[in-house]
Amino acid sequence: MPDTNPFVPLSIPVVYDRSHRFHEPGGEIWVGVRTPGTEVPERAERILEALRAAGARHLASEGAPEGVALRFHDPEMVDWLRDAWGQWQESGLTEDPGQDRVVPYLFPHPGLVGGLPVPVPAAVTARAGRWCFDTMTLIGPGTWHAARGAIDAAITAASVAALEGVAYACCRPPGHHATRDAYGGSCYLNNAAAAAGMLRDSLEGPVAILDVDAHHGNGAQSIFWSDPTIATGSVHVDPGAGWFPHFLGFASERGDGDGAGANLNLPQAPGTGDGPWLEAVAELCEFARSAGARGIVVALGVDAAGGDPESPLEVTTEGYRGAGELLGGLGLPTAIVQEGGYDLDTIGELVVAALEGVESGRVSSGL
Ligand code: SP5
Ligand code: ZN
C-alpha cells in the first residue's frame, strides 16, 4: 500500500535564538498587584517544539549591527534598556524595598508636564517611567540581552525573506507595542519594525507590516505614521470595547503627512471568530497590494485564538491557517515575526497552522 499521507516537512526556514530565555519578566504588575504574567520563556520553547515536529529547518540568527537593529528607537531609550537592570541593582532597590525587577512608578503624563521638555530624571525609580508606558513590562537581569536577540532574529528573517522568499522568526520578547521612545505591553524593541526596515532596503521599494496579533500594533503605527515606504495595517480587538492598548487602534487613525492613508486599523468586536476576522485579514492584504508593497512583514500574534488568556477573540486554528493562506497568497517576499500568543497548550499548533497556510498560499499564488 502506498502511503497516502506522506509527511511533508514545513519548508519555511525558522530563525531562533535561545537568548530569549534570559528574559524572565518575573510577572506583571496588574492594577497594582503582582500577577504571574503570561509572556514566559516556555512560549518560544513550545513553538519550537511544534515546528520541529513539523519538520521545519532551523537557521542561526545573525547579529545585526546596532545601527540597523536600533535605528527606529530613541538612543536614550536604548541606553536605558541596556543599563536599567544594572542601575536598579546598584541603587539597592533589590534590597530595599526588595523589588527584583525594574518597575516604573511615575510617568511624565502630558497633563503633568504640559508640553515642557521631558528631562531624564535623576532618580532611577523615575527613569523607568520616562520610557515605559505601563506597569506590566518589567526589566530583569537578562531582558536587554533577550530583546537584542529578538530583534536580531527578526532582521535575520527579513534578510532571508528578501533572498529566499519567506522566513519566520521565533522570537521573544515580542515587539509590536514598542514605539520609537516608549516600551510596554510586554515589548521592549520593535522587532517587526526593524525587520520591515531591512526588507524595504533589501527590496528597494515599499513594504507593509500586517499585524494579526489580537492587540493593536501601535508601535509600528507610531514609528511609520508619516512614512509612506512602510505601510502599517492591524486587525485587533476593538480598543473602544475596553481592550489593550485602550488609547490607540481606532479605525480613524490613518497616518499623516507623506504617510497619510498608509495606516489601516481594523478593530473587531470581542467574540469575533473566523469569518469576519478573515475578511479583515483579506482587507489587510488588499491594503498592502494597493500600497504597492514589494514585501510584507507579518506580525504574527496568535493570541486572537479562542481560549487565549489575553484576548476575547475567537479565532480557530483553521482560522490562523486561513490567514496564512491569504497572506502567502500575496506572493510577496514575507518575513513572519512572532508577537503574542499565551495559551501554552495551543501556541505551537497555532503557529504551525499559520505557517502551513502561508506556504500553501504561496504555492497557490504560483510561487
Ligand atoms: C505582545 C502582546 O500581545 N502584548 C499584549 C499585552 C496585553 N497586556 C494587557 C494586559 C491586560 C491585563 N491582563 C490581565 C492578566 C492578569 N495577569
Ligand atoms: Zn497581543
Side-chain angles (χ1 to χ4, degrees), residues 157-363:
S159 304
V160 173
L163 291 170
E164 294 185 26
V166 61
Y168 164 71
C170 179
C171 54
R172 69 169 284 279
H176 78 147
H177 295 303
T179 68
R180 184 179 178 279
D181 55 7
Y183 66 98
S186 303
C187 303
Y188 303 85
L189 299 171
N190 198 311
N191 308 318
M198 170 57 77
L199 197 62
R200 176 195 61 188
D201 295 352
S202 304
L203 301 173
E204 298 180 349
V207 298
I209 299 176
L210 303 181
D211 189 321
V212 301
D213 185 279
H215 305 99
H216 175 229
N218 63 285
Q221 167 174 303
S222 162
I223 292 169
F224 302 117
W225 186 244
S226 313
D227 186 344
T229 70
I230 298 183
T232 46
S234 179
V235 55
H236 47 264
V237 62
D238 187 0
W243 291 86
F244 189 92
H246 300 280
F247 301 103
L248 293 150
F250 299 94
S252 55
E253 299 156 16
R254 294 303 317 264
D256 197 17
D258 290 344
N263 184 74
L264 181 67
N265 287 332
L266 300 173
Q268 308 293 305
T272 296
D274 289 356
W277 187 78
L278 285 168
E279 275 174 40
V281 175
E283 203 176 329
L284 290 183
C285 293
E286 194 43 50
F287 166 72
R289 233 184 245 119
S290 57
R294 291 191 194 173
I296 58 168
V297 172
V298 178
L300 180 63
V302 293
D303 45 2
D308 190 280
E310 296 289 349
S311 112
L313 297 177
E314 295 288 344
V315 174
T316 67
T317 305
E318 290 316 297
Y320 268 101
R321 186 186 307 279
E325 281 169 15
L326 291 166
L327 293 158
L330 284 168
L332 296 169
T334 300
I336 304 154
V337 176
Q338 186 63 42
E339 299 288 354
Y342 306 99
D343 178 24
L344 295 174
D345 290 336
T346 55
I347 190 170
E349 70 193 54
L350 287 163
V351 170
V352 168
L355 297 187
E356 285 173 349
V358 170
E359 223 166 77
S360 74
R362 288 174 64 77
V363 170

Side-chain angles (χ1 to χ4, degrees), residues 77 80-81 102 128 131-134 137 139 178 181-185 187-188:
M77 180 177 86
W80 165 251
L81 289 172
V102 177
W131 290 285
C132 190
F133 60 72
D134 64 24
T137 310
I139 293 177
D181 55 7
Y183 66 98
C187 303
Y188 303 85

